[in-house]
Amino acid sequence: MLFSRRLPRLVASTLHLLPLLRPQQYQAVAFTALNTVATNPLTCPANFAPASTLSSSSGPTKQRQACAMSSSAAASAGAAEPTLAGTTPNDPAATCAATTTSDKKEEENKLPPLSAAEFKVYNRMAEHMDLFHAHFRQSWNLLWSAATSGKRPAGMSMRSFIMEGLQFLQYLTVHHNIEETHIFPVLAKKMPEFKTGKGNGAAELLRQHRQIHHGMDALETYLTACRSGEADLEMRVLKEKMAPWADVLWTHLDQEVETLGAENMRKYWTQEEMRRLPM
């Protein structure tokens, strides 16, 4: 569930009410925010290119260690390696020279540290997304704790417990629908992490959505049957319905927030564009 930058107080003030909202109310709040966003659409320059890329995690220390080891490694391997001009195959100097050149390029590509104000701008979407993911984590944990312990939460009736599970699935469906319809297409203009497509042509985050919904469908079918009385709610069966997609759900909740984090977003967007992105 996503909101424009003009609604952070509304987001914060309604988080604790999510479990009390009916799915229709939950969706109405979401699309009220999206209608506000629609009045100020993001314009993306056609010739935009990422300003820079982050350097790899391998620092100069590791590169120097690799150079120090290259002499004995090359001597023992005895295999032909690509060489620099003026060097001989398996020459440790060539290996170290190539490493040094690569290391210098990485240093040049490093982005300057963000100030506190800049970080806040670039991390805005991640912070808002994590607020809603926290609600999904809480709902999952309530269901999973009961499924693994064999006991419902104290003071919660069977019907209330079943409805908690169904509402969790309904809210997550609305959340993903809004993302894929209104948010991801905007981000995909510059970010391959949100590329749409069929099958493996879609970005990993969207493929995760499909895996998650495959598990959600099975759980919804079971809980709906339990609500109607066609099946008895058994914690053992509940666990069987949740376990297959537990890993992909938790991976997705973390990975999506990380992808929207400041250090990644700054590679693609200016601060002014960040202020206009729909969230």
Side-chain angles (χ1 to χ4, degrees):
M1 166 130 180
L2 305 173
F3 287 84
S4 74
R5 69 183 181 88
R6 298 180 179 179
L7 300 177
R9 293 182 180 177
L10 175 60
V11 174
S13 64
T14 57
L15 276 176
H16 69 285
L17 297 177
L18 288 180
L20 304 179
L21 295 176
R22 295 177 180 177
Q24 295 86 349
Q25 295 171 318
Y26 184 96
Q27 189 167 3
V29 172
F31 280 94
T32 297
L34 290 169
N35 286 335
T36 301
V37 173
T39 64
N40 183 26
L42 175 69
T43 57
C44 296
N47 61 348
F48 179 88
S52 180
T53 56
L54 293 176
S55 61
S56 71
S57 59
S58 299
T61 300
K62 291 185 178 180
Q63 298 292 359
R64 286 195 294 269
Q65 290 174 345
C67 285
M69 298 170 59
S70 63
S71 178
S72 58
S76 60
E81 297 289 343
T83 63
L84 298 178
T87 62
T88 58
N90 299 326
D91 185 355
T95 303
C96 290
T99 300
T100 301
T101 301
S102 175
D103 190 44
K104 288 178 65 176
K105 289 182 179 179
E106 289 177 1
E107 290 293 334
E108 293 173 357
N109 288 334
K110 282 185 177 180
L111 295 172
L114 292 172
S115 67
E118 291 170 335
F119 181 86
K120 184 176 181 180
V121 172
Y122 279 112
N123 208 51
R124 177 177 60 87
M125 296 187 76
E127 290 177 355
H128 283 238
M129 182 67 76
D130 203 35
L131 287 175
F132 290 96
H133 283 192
H135 171 70
F136 296 132
R137 293 185 184 100
Q138 181 180 11
S139 296
W140 172 276
N141 284 336
L142 184 146
L143 297 170
W144 184 254
S145 178
T148 54
S149 67
K151 298 179 181 180
R152 296 193 310 275
M156 181 175 284
S157 67
M158 182 70 75
R159 178 174 177 77
S160 295
F161 181 79
I162 293 172
M163 290 305 301
E164 178 72 24
L166 288 172
Q167 286 182 348
F168 162 66
L169 297 173
Q170 290 166 339
Y171 295 156
L172 189 54
T173 297
V174 171
H175 177 83
H176 286 172
N177 285 344
I178 292 173
E179 286 181 331
E180 294 187 12
T181 303
H182 299 279
I183 308 302
F184 287 1
V186 175
L187 296 175
K189 291 178 181 180
K190 297 182 181 181
M191 302 179 71
E193 296 95 328
F194 297 98
K195 176 186 175 183
T196 59
K198 296 182 179 180
N200 292 331
E204 183 179 6
L205 288 172
L206 278 87
R207 297 200 305 272
Q208 290 171 351
H209 275 194
R210 295 166 190 168
Q211 296 175 49
I212 291 169
H213 280 272
H214 181 74
M216 288 171 62
D217 290 344
L219 179 58
E220 182 179 12
T221 298
Y222 177 63
L223 291 178
T224 300
C226 292
R227 181 180 61 180
S228 67
E230 298 177 21
D232 294 328
L233 180 63
E234 299 181 45
M235 297 304 174
R236 172 186 57 83
V237 177
L238 179 63
K239 181 179 179 181
E240 291 175 356
K241 300 296 183 181
M242 296 179 69
W245 53 289
D247 287 344
V248 66
L249 173 67
W250 283 82
T251 296
H252 178 77
L253 294 177
D254 292 339
Q255 183 175 333
E256 192 171 74
V257 172
E258 182 179 356
T259 302
L260 294 172
E263 290 302 327
N264 191 49
M265 297 298 283
R266 70 188 298 206
K267 296 192 297 182
Y268 301 99
W269 309 95
T270 66
Q271 291 188 61
E272 181 56 32
E273 288 172 332
M274 283 298 305
R275 294 186 178 96
R276 291 184 282 124
L277 284 172
M279 172 58 76

